Amino acid sequence: MADNHLDPVALWQEMLGRWERQINDFSAQISGNEMFAGPMNQVSKASMGARKSFDDAMEQLATTMMVATQPQMQDVIERLDRIEEQIAAIAAAIAPQDRPGTAAAQPAPRRTRKPPTGPA
């Protein structure tokens, strides 16, 4: 059986585990501090407000340029999916009425005209 003290992969995994625990402990100490949590909350709110403003401006630009926005395209895709489902249901309802041998059972039309045999 291999010794864990000589296994480089096991040593690497152990080092990474310790490193992750130390970072988690440090971040828990910092985020628990009110001097850190307050400004981070304000930064998060400002970031969300900026994102909302950007999304509104992009939607207004898309409307001005007469280009569909992502939510509008998602609505179109959902409508097309519903239409395809309805078509599939109709096709499934019609399919039992089709008989596979009916087209082959009918005789082919007679060919009475002959193609020209030479230059005219």
Side-chain angles (χ1 to χ4, degrees):
M1 188 166 184
D3 188 8
N4 282 345
H5 295 292
L6 301 177
D7 185 13
V9 175
L11 291 172
W12 178 257
Q13 289 175 342
E14 183 179 339
M15 183 195 69
L16 282 178
R18 284 188 206 158
W19 183 64
E20 287 177 355
R21 281 191 297 278
Q22 289 173 351
I23 288 177
N24 287 339
D25 292 342
F26 180 71
S27 63
Q29 289 174 354
I30 287 178
S31 62
N33 186 354
E34 190 61 38
M35 291 186 70
F36 177 78
M40 282 306 291
N41 191 15
Q42 291 175 350
V43 167
S44 295
K45 285 181 182 178
S47 174
M48 287 176 25
R51 176 65 183 202
K52 173 89 170 101
S53 297
F54 178 76
D55 288 346
D56 291 344
M58 290 303 292
E59 185 173 350
Q60 182 64 32
L61 177 64
T63 302
T64 302
M65 295 176 61
M66 295 184 186
V67 177
T69 62
Q70 186 174 2
Q72 291 171 337
M73 288 304 296
Q74 188 63 35
D75 290 342
V76 169
I77 290 169
E78 289 172 2
R79 280 190 229 154
L80 285 174
D81 287 342
R82 286 193 302 268
I83 291 169
E84 287 176 351
E85 289 172 1
Q86 290 173 350
I87 290 172
I90 292 169
I94 293 174
Q97 296 174 0
D98 291 340
R99 293 188 180 90
T102 54
Q106 295 177 354
R110 300 184 109 208
R111 303 274 179 186
T112 56
R113 292 186 64 188
K114 303 240 186 239
T117 56

